[in-house]
Protein backbone atom coordinates (compact mmCIF):
# COMPACT_ATOMS: atom_id res chain seq x y z
CA UNK A 1 0.00 0.00 0.00
CA UNK A 2 1.36 3.43 -0.94
CA UNK A 3 1.69 6.23 1.58
CA UNK A 4 -1.16 8.05 -0.15
CA UNK A 5 -3.40 5.02 0.20
CA UNK A 6 -2.46 4.67 3.86
CA UNK A 7 -3.26 8.34 4.39
CA UNK A 8 -6.65 7.91 2.74
CA UNK A 9 -7.36 4.86 4.90
CA UNK A 10 -6.38 6.75 8.06
CA UNK A 11 -8.54 9.71 7.01
CA UNK A 12 -11.51 7.40 6.60
CA UNK A 13 -10.78 5.82 9.98
CA UNK A 14 -10.60 9.26 11.57
CA UNK A 15 -14.00 10.16 10.16
CA UNK A 16 -15.39 6.86 11.38
CA UNK A 17 -14.14 7.65 14.89
CA UNK A 18 -16.02 10.94 14.63
CA UNK A 19 -19.19 9.06 13.69
CA UNK A 20 -18.58 6.81 16.70
CA UNK A 21 -18.31 9.81 19.06
CA UNK A 22 -21.33 11.70 17.71
CA UNK A 23 -24.15 12.56 20.09
CA UNK A 24 -27.81 12.65 18.93
CA UNK A 25 -29.65 15.88 19.67
CA UNK A 26 -33.37 16.43 20.39
CA UNK A 27 -33.87 18.06 16.98
CA UNK A 28 -32.79 14.87 15.18
CA UNK A 29 -29.33 16.21 14.55
CA UNK A 30 -25.84 15.27 15.66
CA UNK A 31 -23.41 17.17 17.82
CA UNK A 32 -19.85 16.54 18.86
CA UNK A 33 -18.16 17.40 22.14
CA UNK A 34 -14.60 18.66 22.17
CA UNK A 35 -13.63 15.55 24.17
CA UNK A 36 -15.68 12.37 24.35
CA UNK A 37 -15.24 12.32 28.13
CA UNK A 38 -17.02 15.69 28.38
CA UNK A 39 -20.21 15.26 26.32
CA UNK A 40 -21.29 18.90 26.15
CA UNK A 41 -23.01 20.55 23.20
CA UNK A 42 -20.38 22.32 21.12
CA UNK A 43 -21.43 23.77 17.75
CA UNK A 44 -18.29 25.83 16.99
CA UNK A 45 -15.85 25.71 14.09
CA UNK A 46 -12.63 25.54 16.10
CA UNK A 47 -13.28 22.58 18.36
CA UNK A 48 -16.81 21.36 17.74
CA UNK A 49 -19.56 20.40 15.36
CA UNK A 50 -19.15 23.04 12.63
CA UNK A 51 -15.54 22.07 11.96
CA UNK A 52 -16.47 18.38 12.00
CA UNK A 53 -19.25 19.01 9.48
CA UNK A 54 -16.65 20.41 7.06
CA UNK A 55 -14.46 17.33 7.57
CA UNK A 56 -17.44 15.09 6.86
CA UNK A 57 -18.06 16.99 3.63
CA UNK A 58 -14.45 16.20 2.74
CA UNK A 59 -15.16 12.52 3.34
CA UNK A 60 -18.34 12.66 1.28
CA UNK A 61 -16.38 14.13 -1.63
CA UNK A 62 -13.51 11.66 -1.28
CA UNK A 63 -15.51 8.47 -0.96
CA UNK A 64 -19.00 9.36 -2.19
CA UNK A 65 -20.23 7.71 1.01
CA UNK A 66 -23.78 8.51 2.10
CA UNK A 67 -22.90 8.01 5.77
CA UNK A 68 -20.62 11.06 5.72
CA UNK A 69 -23.08 13.25 3.83
CA UNK A 70 -25.97 12.22 6.07
CA UNK A 71 -23.89 12.89 9.19
CA UNK A 72 -22.97 16.31 7.82
CA UNK A 73 -26.66 17.09 7.27
CA UNK A 74 -27.52 16.02 10.80
CA UNK A 75 -24.61 17.99 12.19
CA UNK A 76 -25.84 21.05 10.31
CA UNK A 77 -29.25 20.58 11.92
CA UNK A 78 -27.80 20.94 15.43
CA UNK A 79 -25.69 23.91 14.30
CA UNK A 80 -28.83 25.55 12.90
CA UNK A 81 -30.53 25.02 16.25
CA UNK A 82 -27.64 26.81 17.95
CA UNK A 83 -28.16 29.74 15.58
CA UNK A 84 -31.90 29.85 16.31
CA UNK A 85 -31.15 29.83 20.02
CA UNK A 86 -28.89 32.86 19.52
CA UNK A 87 -25.46 31.34 20.13
CA UNK A 88 -23.82 33.96 22.32
CA UNK A 89 -20.42 34.27 20.62
CA UNK A 90 -19.81 35.88 17.25
CA UNK A 91 -16.31 34.98 16.03
CA UNK A 92 -15.08 32.70 13.26
CA UNK A 93 -13.50 30.18 15.61
CA UNK A 94 -16.05 30.12 18.41
CA UNK A 95 -19.12 31.97 17.24
CA UNK A 96 -21.87 32.60 14.74
CA UNK A 97 -19.45 33.42 11.92
CA UNK A 98 -18.01 29.91 11.99
CA UNK A 99 -21.47 28.40 12.25
CA UNK A 100 -22.47 30.35 9.14
CA UNK A 101 -19.48 28.99 7.22
CA UNK A 102 -20.42 25.38 7.97
CA UNK A 103 -24.12 25.89 7.24
CA UNK A 104 -23.41 27.69 3.97
CA UNK A 105 -21.10 24.85 2.92
CA UNK A 106 -23.77 22.22 3.61
CA UNK A 107 -26.27 24.24 1.61
CA UNK A 108 -23.84 24.59 -1.31
CA UNK A 109 -22.57 21.00 -1.42
CA UNK A 110 -25.60 19.02 -0.35
CA UNK A 111 -28.39 21.33 -1.48
CA UNK A 112 -29.98 21.63 1.95
CA UNK A 113 -32.22 24.73 1.99
CA UNK A 114 -32.64 24.67 5.77
CA UNK A 115 -28.88 25.02 6.18
CA UNK A 116 -28.89 27.94 3.76
CA UNK A 117 -31.62 29.70 5.71
CA UNK A 118 -29.77 29.14 8.98
CA UNK A 119 -26.56 30.54 7.49
CA UNK A 120 -28.38 33.70 6.44
CA UNK A 121 -29.94 33.93 9.89
CA UNK A 122 -26.49 33.74 11.47
CA UNK A 123 -25.19 36.52 9.23
CA UNK A 124 -28.22 38.65 10.13
CA UNK A 125 -27.57 38.18 13.82
CA UNK A 126 -23.94 39.14 13.30
CA UNK A 127 -24.93 42.36 11.58
CA UNK A 128 -27.33 43.22 14.41
CA UNK A 129 -24.66 42.61 17.07
CA UNK A 130 -22.00 44.87 15.54
CA UNK A 131 -21.32 47.93 17.70
CA UNK A 132 -19.62 49.91 14.95
CA UNK A 133 -16.09 48.79 15.88
CA UNK A 134 -16.11 45.18 17.08
CA UNK A 135 -18.19 42.24 18.23
CA UNK A 136 -16.19 40.91 21.16
CA UNK A 137 -13.00 41.88 23.03
CA UNK A 138 -10.98 39.96 20.43
CA UNK A 139 -9.99 42.03 17.41
CA UNK A 140 -8.09 39.53 15.25
CA UNK A 141 -8.75 36.47 13.10
CA UNK A 142 -9.85 33.63 15.36
CA UNK A 143 -11.86 35.70 17.83
CA UNK A 144 -12.56 39.04 16.17
CA UNK A 145 -13.33 41.17 13.15
CA UNK A 146 -10.84 39.65 10.71
CA UNK A 147 -12.30 36.17 10.98
CA UNK A 148 -15.88 37.45 10.86
CA UNK A 149 -15.02 39.33 7.66
CA UNK A 150 -13.56 36.22 6.02
CA UNK A 151 -16.54 34.13 7.11
CA UNK A 152 -19.00 36.67 5.71
CA UNK A 153 -17.11 36.71 2.41
CA UNK A 154 -17.09 32.91 2.25
CA UNK A 155 -20.85 32.89 2.88
CA UNK A 156 -21.48 35.43 0.11
CA UNK A 157 -22.02 38.60 2.17
CA UNK A 158 -19.39 41.05 0.91
CA UNK A 159 -21.15 44.01 2.50
CA UNK A 160 -20.81 42.50 5.98
CA UNK A 161 -17.21 41.57 5.24
CA UNK A 162 -16.37 45.19 4.43
CA UNK A 163 -18.23 46.39 7.51
CA UNK A 164 -16.10 44.08 9.64
CA UNK A 165 -12.70 45.24 8.34
CA UNK A 166 -13.33 48.99 8.03
CA UNK A 167 -12.64 49.58 11.76
CA UNK A 168 -9.03 48.54 11.16
CA UNK A 169 -8.60 51.74 9.14
CA UNK A 170 -9.06 53.92 12.21
CA UNK A 171 -7.54 51.63 14.85
CA UNK A 172 -4.19 50.92 13.20
CA UNK A 173 -1.16 51.79 15.32
CA UNK A 174 1.77 53.21 13.31
CA UNK A 175 5.15 51.54 13.87
CA UNK A 176 8.61 52.21 12.51
CA UNK A 177 7.91 50.12 9.41
CA UNK A 178 4.14 49.92 9.03
CA UNK A 179 1.15 49.36 11.31
CA UNK A 180 -0.11 46.90 13.89
CA UNK A 181 -3.26 46.41 15.96
CA UNK A 182 -4.18 45.65 19.55
CA UNK A 183 -5.30 41.99 19.38
CA UNK A 184 -7.92 42.36 22.10
CA UNK A 185 -9.18 44.96 24.53
CA UNK A 186 -6.72 45.53 27.36
CA UNK A 187 -3.82 43.70 25.73
CA UNK A 188 -0.32 45.12 26.14
CA UNK A 189 1.47 42.67 23.84
CA UNK A 190 1.18 43.00 20.08
CA UNK A 191 1.01 39.64 18.31
CA UNK A 192 2.38 39.25 14.80
CA UNK A 193 1.09 36.08 13.14
CA UNK A 194 -2.04 34.66 11.53
CA UNK A 195 -4.31 33.35 14.27
CA UNK A 196 -4.28 36.26 16.71
CA UNK A 197 -1.92 38.84 15.26
CA UNK A 198 -1.16 41.36 12.57
CA UNK A 199 -0.96 38.91 9.68
CA UNK A 200 -4.47 37.66 10.36
CA UNK A 201 -5.73 41.21 10.01
CA UNK A 202 -3.56 41.66 6.91
CA UNK A 203 -5.08 38.59 5.30
CA UNK A 204 -8.63 39.77 5.95
CA UNK A 205 -7.95 43.31 4.73
CA UNK A 206 -6.30 42.10 1.53
CA UNK A 207 -8.87 39.40 0.79
CA UNK A 208 -11.90 41.59 1.43
CA UNK A 209 -10.28 44.61 -0.19
CA UNK A 210 -9.56 42.61 -3.32
CA UNK A 211 -13.08 41.18 -3.48
CA UNK A 212 -14.74 44.55 -2.87
CA UNK A 213 -12.43 46.67 -5.03
CA UNK A 214 -11.27 48.67 -1.99
CA UNK A 215 -7.72 49.84 -2.62
CA UNK A 216 -7.57 51.54 0.79
CA UNK A 217 -8.05 48.21 2.54
CA UNK A 218 -5.36 46.55 0.44
CA UNK A 219 -2.98 49.44 1.10
CA UNK A 220 -3.50 49.08 4.84
CA UNK A 221 -2.89 45.34 4.54
CA UNK A 222 0.47 46.06 2.92
CA UNK A 223 1.39 48.39 5.78
CA UNK A 224 0.60 45.65 8.29
CA UNK A 225 2.63 43.12 6.33
CA UNK A 226 5.55 45.54 6.18
CA UNK A 227 5.63 45.75 9.96
CA UNK A 228 5.84 41.96 10.30
CA UNK A 229 8.43 41.56 7.55
CA UNK A 230 10.63 44.12 9.32
CA UNK A 231 10.64 41.88 12.41
CA UNK A 232 12.16 38.89 10.60
CA UNK A 233 15.17 37.40 12.37
CA UNK A 234 16.11 34.62 9.92
CA UNK A 235 16.81 36.42 6.65
CA UNK A 236 17.89 36.53 3.96
CA UNK A 237 17.25 32.83 3.30
CA UNK A 238 14.63 32.14 5.97
CA UNK A 239 11.79 33.91 7.74
CA UNK A 240 11.12 33.75 11.48
CA UNK A 241 9.30 36.40 13.50
CA UNK A 242 8.78 36.24 17.28
CA UNK A 243 5.39 35.35 18.71
CA UNK A 244 4.76 38.83 20.15
CA UNK A 245 6.28 42.06 21.47
CA UNK A 246 6.49 42.50 24.36
CA UNK A 247 6.43 38.74 24.79
CA UNK A 248 2.95 37.59 25.76
CA UNK A 249 2.89 35.21 28.73
CA UNK A 250 6.60 34.36 28.56
CA UNK A 251 6.22 31.86 31.39
CA UNK A 252 4.17 29.56 29.11
CA UNK A 253 4.52 30.72 25.50
CA UNK A 254 7.75 30.21 23.58
CA UNK A 255 9.30 33.11 21.71
CA UNK A 256 9.28 31.29 18.35
CA UNK A 257 6.92 28.81 16.77
CA UNK A 258 6.77 27.18 13.32
CA UNK A 259 3.15 26.19 12.76
CA UNK A 260 0.06 27.70 11.17
CA UNK A 261 -1.04 29.76 14.15
CA UNK A 262 2.09 31.67 15.23
CA UNK A 263 4.82 30.70 12.79
CA UNK A 264 6.08 30.68 9.22
CA UNK A 265 3.71 27.91 8.11
CA UNK A 266 0.85 30.37 8.62
CA UNK A 267 2.84 33.43 7.54
CA UNK A 268 3.42 31.73 4.18
CA UNK A 269 -0.34 31.42 3.67
CA UNK A 270 -0.72 35.19 4.00
CA UNK A 271 2.16 35.80 1.59
CA UNK A 272 0.62 33.30 -0.86
CA UNK A 273 -2.61 35.28 -0.70
CA UNK A 274 -0.86 38.59 -1.31
CA UNK A 275 1.02 37.13 -4.27
CA UNK A 276 -2.21 35.79 -5.76
CA UNK A 277 -3.90 39.18 -5.32
CA UNK A 278 -1.10 41.49 -6.41
CA UNK A 279 1.17 39.35 -8.59
CA UNK A 280 4.30 40.82 -6.99
CA UNK A 281 7.02 38.13 -6.90
CA UNK A 282 8.35 39.58 -3.63
CA UNK A 283 5.44 37.91 -1.80
CA UNK A 284 6.19 34.55 -3.40
CA UNK A 285 9.81 34.98 -2.32
CA UNK A 286 8.70 35.58 1.27
CA UNK A 287 6.54 32.45 1.18
CA UNK A 288 9.61 30.57 -0.08
CA UNK A 289 11.67 31.89 2.81
CA UNK A 290 8.99 30.72 5.26
CA UNK A 291 9.17 27.25 3.75
CA UNK A 292 12.96 27.28 4.05
CA UNK A 293 12.65 27.90 7.78
CA UNK A 294 9.86 25.37 8.34
CA UNK A 295 11.67 22.53 6.59
CA UNK A 296 14.88 23.20 8.53
CA UNK A 297 13.30 23.63 11.97
CA UNK A 298 13.44 19.97 12.92
CA UNK A 299 9.69 19.33 12.87
CA UNK A 300 7.88 16.95 12.96
CA UNK A 301 10.51 15.45 15.28
CA UNK A 302 9.87 16.27 18.93
CA UNK A 303 13.34 17.56 19.66
CA UNK A 304 12.74 18.55 23.29
CA UNK A 305 9.85 18.84 25.74
CA UNK A 306 7.38 21.36 24.39
CA UNK A 307 8.76 21.39 20.85
CA UNK A 308 6.22 20.17 18.32
CA UNK A 309 3.97 18.23 20.64
CA UNK A 310 0.81 18.66 18.55
CA UNK A 311 -0.43 16.78 15.47
CA UNK A 312 -3.35 19.12 14.81
CA UNK A 313 -4.26 21.63 12.12
CA UNK A 314 -3.90 24.81 14.17
CA UNK A 315 -0.67 24.32 16.07
CA UNK A 316 0.83 21.14 14.67
CA UNK A 317 1.77 18.81 11.86
CA UNK A 318 -1.50 18.85 9.91
CA UNK A 319 -1.28 22.63 9.47
CA UNK A 320 2.19 22.32 7.97
CA UNK A 321 0.94 19.50 5.72
CA UNK A 322 -1.63 21.91 4.29
CA UNK A 323 1.16 24.22 3.13
CA UNK A 324 3.23 21.30 1.85
CA UNK A 325 0.33 20.23 -0.37
CA UNK A 326 -0.19 23.80 -1.57
CA UNK A 327 3.43 23.81 -2.70
CA UNK A 328 3.08 20.49 -4.52
CA UNK A 329 0.18 21.97 -6.48
CA UNK A 330 1.59 25.45 -7.12
CA UNK A 331 5.33 24.80 -7.45
CA UNK A 332 5.55 21.17 -8.41
CA UNK A 333 7.52 20.39 -5.25
CA UNK A 334 8.51 16.81 -4.76
CA UNK A 335 6.44 15.36 -1.91
CA UNK A 336 9.27 14.24 0.35
CA UNK A 337 8.57 16.66 3.18
CA UNK A 338 4.82 16.12 2.91
CA UNK A 339 5.55 12.39 3.03
CA UNK A 340 7.56 12.89 6.23
CA UNK A 341 4.68 14.78 7.83
CA UNK A 342 2.14 12.14 6.83
CA UNK A 343 4.35 9.30 8.04
CA UNK A 344 4.64 11.04 11.41
CA UNK A 345 0.86 11.42 11.66
CA UNK A 346 0.35 7.76 10.81
CA UNK A 347 2.96 6.68 13.35
CA UNK A 348 1.24 8.67 16.11
CA UNK A 349 -2.30 7.45 15.36
CA UNK A 350 -4.26 5.20 17.71
CA UNK A 351 -6.14 2.59 15.69
CA UNK A 352 -8.78 0.23 17.04
CA UNK A 353 -12.31 -0.94 16.40
CA UNK A 354 -13.70 2.57 16.94
CA UNK A 355 -11.54 4.09 14.20
CA UNK A 356 -8.45 6.30 14.14
CA UNK A 357 -7.57 9.21 16.41
CA UNK A 358 -4.66 11.27 17.73
CA UNK A 359 -3.50 12.42 21.16
CA UNK A 360 -1.43 15.56 21.64
CA UNK A 361 0.96 16.02 24.54
CA UNK A 362 1.50 18.65 27.22
CA UNK A 363 4.96 18.30 28.72
CA UNK A 364 4.02 20.35 31.79
CA UNK A 365 1.34 17.84 32.81
CA UNK A 366 1.63 14.36 34.28
CA UNK A 367 0.66 12.24 32.49
CA UNK A 368 1.59 14.29 29.44
CA UNK A 369 -0.53 12.40 26.90
CA UNK A 370 -3.84 14.22 26.39
CA UNK A 371 -7.24 12.79 25.55
CA UNK A 372 -7.98 12.74 21.80
CA UNK A 373 -10.21 15.58 20.65
CA UNK A 374 -12.74 15.70 17.85
CA UNK A 375 -12.46 19.13 16.30
CA UNK A 376 -10.67 21.00 13.54
CA UNK A 377 -7.99 22.82 15.51
CA UNK A 378 -6.40 20.14 17.67
CA UNK A 379 -8.18 16.95 16.73
CA UNK A 380 -9.52 14.46 14.25
CA UNK A 381 -11.51 16.75 11.97
CA UNK A 382 -8.52 18.89 11.00
CA UNK A 383 -6.15 15.95 10.63
CA UNK A 384 -8.59 13.85 8.59
CA UNK A 385 -9.21 16.74 6.22
CA UNK A 386 -5.50 17.19 5.52
CA UNK A 387 -4.81 13.47 5.11
CA UNK A 388 -7.57 13.16 2.52
CA UNK A 389 -6.33 16.22 0.67
CA UNK A 390 -2.78 14.81 0.67
CA UNK A 391 -4.05 11.50 -0.73
CA UNK A 392 -5.70 13.30 -3.65
CA UNK A 393 -2.74 15.60 -4.24
CA UNK A 394 -0.15 12.83 -4.56
CA UNK A 395 -2.51 10.62 -6.56
CA UNK A 396 -3.56 13.04 -9.28
CA UNK A 397 -2.50 16.58 -8.37
CA UNK A 398 -6.01 17.60 -7.26
CA UNK A 399 -5.52 21.11 -5.92
CA UNK A 400 -7.92 21.66 -3.08
CA UNK A 401 -10.66 20.73 -0.66
CA UNK A 402 -14.36 20.03 -0.75
CA UNK A 403 -14.79 23.33 1.11
CA UNK A 404 -12.08 25.97 1.32
CA UNK A 405 -11.39 27.26 4.81
CA UNK A 406 -12.00 31.05 4.94
CA UNK A 407 -8.43 31.92 5.93
CA UNK A 408 -6.63 29.49 3.60
CA UNK A 409 -5.98 30.81 0.06
CA UNK A 410 -6.98 28.17 -2.46
CA UNK A 411 -4.11 26.47 -4.26
CA UNK A 412 -4.06 26.90 -8.02
CA UNK A 413 -2.13 24.93 -10.58
CA UNK A 414 0.18 27.21 -12.59
CA UNK A 415 -1.27 28.28 -15.91
CA UNK A 416 0.68 26.70 -18.78
CA UNK A 417 2.43 29.21 -20.99
CA UNK A 418 1.19 29.39 -24.54
CA UNK A 419 3.54 27.87 -27.11
CA UNK A 420 4.07 30.14 -30.12
CA UNK A 421 4.57 28.73 -33.59
CA UNK A 422 7.98 29.61 -35.03
Amino acid sequence: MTLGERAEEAGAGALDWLLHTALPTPDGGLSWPTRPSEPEFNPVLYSGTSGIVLALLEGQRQFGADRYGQAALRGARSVATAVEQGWEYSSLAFGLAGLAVALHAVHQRLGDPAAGRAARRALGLLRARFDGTRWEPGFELLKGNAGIALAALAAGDTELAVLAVEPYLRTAEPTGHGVQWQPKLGADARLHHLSHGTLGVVHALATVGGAAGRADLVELALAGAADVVARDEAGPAGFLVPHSDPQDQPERIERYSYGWCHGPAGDAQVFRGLHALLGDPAWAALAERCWHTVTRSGLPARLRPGFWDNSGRCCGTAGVLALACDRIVEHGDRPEFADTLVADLLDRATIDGDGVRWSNTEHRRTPSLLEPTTGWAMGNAGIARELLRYARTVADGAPGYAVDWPDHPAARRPTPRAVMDP
Side-chain angles (χ1 to χ4, degrees):
M1 185 181 290
T2 68
L3 188 62
E5 291 168 340
R6 290 176 61 205
E8 183 178 61
E9 182 178 71
L15 295 177
D16 289 342
W17 184 77
L18 289 172
L19 296 183
H20 177 76
T21 58
L23 303 173
T25 58
D27 56 12
L30 292 175
S31 180
W32 281 265
T34 300
R35 299 171 186 82
S37 66
E38 301 173 6
E40 297 180 0
F41 178 61
N42 182 3
V44 307
L45 195 70
Y46 186 84
S47 58
T49 301
S50 289
I52 291 165
V53 163
L54 296 184
L56 290 167
L57 291 177
E58 201 68 46
Q60 193 267 344
R61 167 188 170 169
Q62 185 84 3
F63 303 108
D66 286 345
R67 68 182 185 278
Y68 298 138
Q70 289 302 313
L73 286 168
R74 292 184 65 191
R77 189 176 302 170
S78 74
V79 173
T81 296
V83 172
E84 290 305 313
Q85 292 174 346
W87 184 251
E88 62 181 309
Y89 303 107
S90 298
S91 67
L92 172 65
F94 303 104
L96 285 171
L99 275 58
V101 168
L103 290 164
H104 179 75
V106 169
H107 173 61
Q108 293 291 105
R109 288 203 62 85
L110 302 180
D112 181 33
R117 290 192 296 271
R120 292 189 293 274
R121 168 69 172 158
L123 295 173
L125 289 172
L126 283 170
R127 185 176 273 101
R129 290 179 179 180
F130 184 50
D131 72 2
T133 299
R134 65 180 74 234
W135 279 264
E136 297 176 13
F139 200 52
E140 26 77 327
L141 192 146
L142 286 186
K143 295 183 177 180
N145 290 46
I148 291 171
L150 292 168
L153 195 64
D157 193 336
T158 304
E159 181 181 313
L160 179 59
V162 171
L163 192 71
V165 294
E166 283 183 327
Y168 292 122
L169 291 165
R170 61 179 183 272
T171 56
E173 302 171 348
T175 68
H177 297 277
V179 298
Q180 62 184 8
W181 290 268
Q182 185 183 44
K184 63 180 178 179
L185 288 173
D188 295 322
R190 297 298 181 263
L191 281 63
H192 308 311
H193 298 279
L194 184 54
S195 62
H196 296 298
T198 297
L199 285 183
V201 177
V202 165
H203 183 58
L205 284 166
T207 304
V208 175
R214 288 284 299 269
D216 57 336
L217 299 178
V218 176
E219 182 179 356
L220 186 62
L222 296 179
D227 174 78
V228 177
V229 171
R231 298 176 189 272
D232 168 51
E233 298 179 8
F239 190 85
L240 188 64
V241 170
H243 173 276
S244 49
D245 291 293
Q247 178 66 27
D248 186 40
Q249 303 178 65
E251 73 284 355
R252 62 179 299 270
I253 297 176
E254 296 202 12
R255 182 81 171 139
Y256 304 97
S257 181
Y258 297 90
W260 172 86
C261 50
H262 293 290
D267 301 348
Q269 298 293 2
V270 179
F271 298 147
R272 286 181 58 242
L274 289 170
H275 179 249
L277 177 64
L278 302 172
D280 185 341
W283 299 113
L286 281 164
E288 191 72 32
R289 287 168 53 188
C290 290
W291 190 237
H292 177 95
T293 293
V294 167
T295 55
R296 288 158 177 80
S297 67
L299 66 85
R302 299 189 175 180
L303 302 178
R304 53 182 168 76
F307 181 86
W308 215 251
D309 53 6
N310 191 307
S311 294
R313 178 60 173 79
C314 180
C315 308
T317 303
V320 181
L321 179 59
L323 178 60
C325 290
D326 292 334
R327 292 187 57 85
I328 293 170
V329 172
E330 295 180 341
H331 300 282
D333 280 12
R334 295 181 63 82
E336 281 88 350
F337 194 71
D339 294 347
T340 299
L341 300 172
V342 169
D344 185 80
L345 289 170
L346 297 180
D347 286 345
R348 297 186 186 282
T350 296
I351 304 172
D352 59 21
D354 294 335
V356 180
R357 57 201 178 276
W358 287 264
S359 298
N360 299 316
T361 61
E362 172 50 75
H363 71 284
R364 292 165 294 196
R365 285 182 47 174
T366 302
S368 61
L369 196 65
L370 304 177
E371 180 184 354
T373 59
T374 60
W376 168 82
M378 308 295 181
N380 261 43
I383 297 171
R385 187 168 175 267
E386 299 306 336
L387 287 174
L388 295 179
R389 193 259 183 126
Y390 164 84
R392 288 196 303 273
T393 300
V394 297
D396 58 15
Y401 302 90
V403 180
D404 289 322
W405 213 261
D407 53 43
H408 184 173
R412 309 290 185 198
R413 291 192 184 99
T415 303
R417 293 182 180 180
V419 177
M420 302 295 291
D421 291 331

